[in-house]
Amino acid sequence: MGDWIGLGIFVLVVVGAVVGLSFLGKKRPPMTEQEFEERAAEGRGTTAGVAHALQKIYDPQAARGTEVVRELRAGRFDKKKKRGDDDPHDEGEGKNF
């Protein structure tokens, strides 16, 4: 009985592979230039988004670097405020030295 179940699973996998490959092998009609531009404008795919999220988990400094690049492009990056560095020559702000 166990042999028949194993054989059935094996046949199911082979049939699924053949059907999947035949689906992938179908020719699509040629893409127009407008369709190409629309697909390119959609942006990155989900695979790239997942890879970026995994990179943030694996390397936290890369996530910080991405944040800094966004702030620099927006023109609101302030290195002293972000890192907590205090300039001892800075006047005001009620600092006691």
Side-chain angles (χ1 to χ4, degrees):
M1 177 93 176
D3 292 338
W4 289 106
I5 293 174
L7 181 64
I9 291 174
F10 181 74
V11 168
L12 185 66
V13 168
V14 169
V15 169
V18 169
V19 169
L21 289 174
S22 68
F23 178 75
L24 290 175
K26 289 183 181 178
K27 298 217 178 212
R28 295 187 217 171
M31 189 183 320
T32 64
E33 192 171 325
Q34 182 182 6
E35 289 173 334
F36 175 77
E37 293 297 328
E38 289 173 0
R39 288 185 183 180
E42 288 176 0
R44 302 186 324 186
T46 57
T47 306
V50 169
H52 185 69
L54 289 175
Q55 181 66 24
K56 282 184 178 180
I57 293 169
Y58 178 69
D59 187 11
Q61 288 296 347
R64 173 75 177 122
T66 304
E67 181 183 334
V68 168
V69 168
R70 283 188 193 140
E71 289 179 358
L72 282 172
R73 287 182 181 161
R76 61 177 186 258
F77 179 72
D78 189 5
K79 184 176 179 182
K80 291 181 184 176
K81 286 184 180 178
K82 288 292 180 185
R83 297 188 72 194
D85 295 338
D86 291 328
D87 188 7
H89 304 298
D90 198 9
E91 299 288 332
E93 297 182 17
K95 294 180 184 175
N96 295 325
F97 289 105

